[in-house]
Amino acid sequence: MSHIDRSVTNHDVIPVIDSDIFLDRPDARFSVGLIAVNDVALPGLESEYVAHFELRRKVYVDQTGQLDASELQDDGTDRDPDDARSVTFAVFENYDDGVRVLGVSRLIIRGDDRPLPVEEFCPDSFTGRELSARSVEVSRVIARHEKAVMQELVQWHLFAIMLAYIANHDLERTFAIIEPWLERHLQGSIAISRIGKPRYVEHYLDYNLPIEIDIPASAERVNARNGGFIDQYREAEGLMTYVGRLPKRSAHEVVR
């Protein structure tokens, strides 16, 4: 992250929206689920999908500088052509002023029309390797919270729901392009391996490296740590999964 603005805090970038996600579960702390397919929000989640773009913009443009403001669309979002071939997930928090969007991620499904971004940015890593239309790239993974332990929890649930989706839909080899500093952190969460050396990627304004994610090994790790959440997400696909409870002393206590 080459242009981090330390004055932009995690609290600053988390959108707060009006949402009915917790209407039937007012005691729940978090909600996790699929929110869009191929750039079309699931019915009833249109506002949540718009808000997920707000989190992406605030993080990648305002906080970390990984994307330049000139790359934003006319509507102020970082929407790109890959959203039209992606499934998008989000983690929401039941909050005193509304609902907070704490985490988002997407799975880009390759298809037959064009390569994955990692193939374009790191072509040397795929020399002699022909990927199928069901190959996948993990992309736009964001987890934000004022407390580090909660932020890590959000990230775990994002990985769990993505792994569940990959399993449910028989998707195949899964890749990502990440900053080198993130490699060690991810190795403690999922099973990854380098498939190329770090190189400067103009689109992300920084050095990045291509990795492949071992789906069976990663699923085993995440399931073990999260008490079988991948299995729960597989069963609940298309529905919101509720996690945790609000403190009994206040149904809308601000968590700082």
Side-chain angles (χ1 to χ4, degrees), residues 147-161:
K147 294 183 178 180
V149 65
M150 300 305 295
Q151 182 165 303
E152 183 179 1
L153 179 64
V154 170
Q155 185 179 76
W156 270 98
H157 281 285
L158 288 172
F159 280 125
I161 196 168

Side-chain angles (χ1 to χ4, degrees), residues 42 47 82 208:
L42 269 59
S47 296
D82 291 318
N208 284 258

Side-chain angles (χ1 to χ4, degrees), residues 26-29 94 244-255:
D27 61 329
R29 177 74 178 277
N94 198 354
R245 291 181 177 274
L246 289 176
K248 292 182 178 180
R249 60 183 178 276
S250 173
H252 297 285
E253 180 182 9
V254 179
V255 180

Side-chain angles (χ1 to χ4, degrees), residues 6 8 13 16 22 27 44 50 56 90 100 102 105 110 126 129 132 157 167-168 182 209 233 247 253 255:
R6 301 292 182 183
V8 181
V13 302
V16 182
F22 293 98
D27 61 329
V50 170
R56 279 170 40 168
R100 301 208 301 175
L102 299 183
S105 63
R110 188 178 191 274
F126 295 90
R129 302 184 187 186
S132 78
H157 281 285
N168 272 359
L182 185 58
L209 64 90
Y233 285 134
E253 180 182 9
V255 180

